[in-house]
Amino acid sequence: MIKAESLVDIGDVIKPHGIKGEFSAEIDINPSDLSCMIFDIDGIYVPFYVDTVRQRGSQAWLVKIDGVDDERQAAAFTGKEIYALQDDLEEDEGDTADGFYLYDLCGYNLYDNDSHIGEIRTIDDSTANILMHVVSSDGKTVFVPFAEDLVIGIDAIRHTITMNLPDGITDLN
């Protein structure tokens, strides 16, 4: 049995999204890093395993959990608080050396050496190849792969990341 003292409130379900059981949620951390999400169902804390996650801003997520397959079922979660196991969060803290997460780059401006590419809007880590969705000044979306080896520097004060991208990578989109 899951006890309240072993849980941390990490966000809220906002509303259902689409017809396949996804819901929109505001969550403080990346839900795909959790072993499960916990919800209070009729006074009992029930774990639900995350099926898919898509980021929609710095704290907005589209989440699909196992066993929820249509908009009616997803609507039942509207307004519910989302909890994580405290143990999951403690393990997650060791994943970064200085507390900086990949999703913190949303809103940063991306530079290829001295050339401005655009603003990072979302990070897609649903596959083995992490992609940054970057919107250029002309409104064009550019998909840029993220690899630590390509990073020259990150300036948290100016909200910029400078990378040394392979030639032509931004022309593939």
Side-chain angles (χ1 to χ4, degrees), residues 7-93:
L7 300 177
V8 176
D9 184 351
I10 59 167
D12 300 288
V13 175
I14 305 303
K15 63 181 181 177
H17 179 84
I19 60 170
K20 295 184 179 180
E22 280 185 313
F23 55 75
S24 175
E26 287 185 7
I27 305 174
D28 298 332
I29 62 169
N30 183 344
S32 62
D33 292 338
L34 302 172
S35 63
C36 62
M37 297 173 113
I38 313 291
F39 293 92
D40 182 342
I41 308 291
D42 298 326
I44 299 172
Y45 294 109
V46 180
F48 289 86
Y49 298 95
V50 178
D51 187 18
T52 61
V53 172
R54 297 184 289 154
Q55 189 172 18
R56 300 286 286 225
S58 63
Q59 290 184 316
W61 301 86
L62 296 178
V63 179
K64 167 93 174 58
I65 53 178
D66 286 345
V68 176
D69 299 315
D70 62 39
E71 74 266 23
R72 182 186 51 76
Q73 292 173 324
F77 288 85
T78 300
K80 289 198 175 287
E81 291 182 24
I82 303 169
Y83 299 95
L85 295 169
Q86 195 167 16
D87 291 344
D88 279 357
L89 299 178
E90 289 170 2
E91 288 175 17
D92 192 40
E93 287 174 4

Side-chain angles (χ1 to χ4, degrees), residues 95 102 130 145-154 161-164:
D95 290 347
L102 185 60
I130 299 170
F146 181 85
E148 286 185 49
D149 296 349
L150 301 176
V151 176
I152 296 171
I154 298 173
I161 177 172
T162 305
M163 298 178 76
N164 185 16

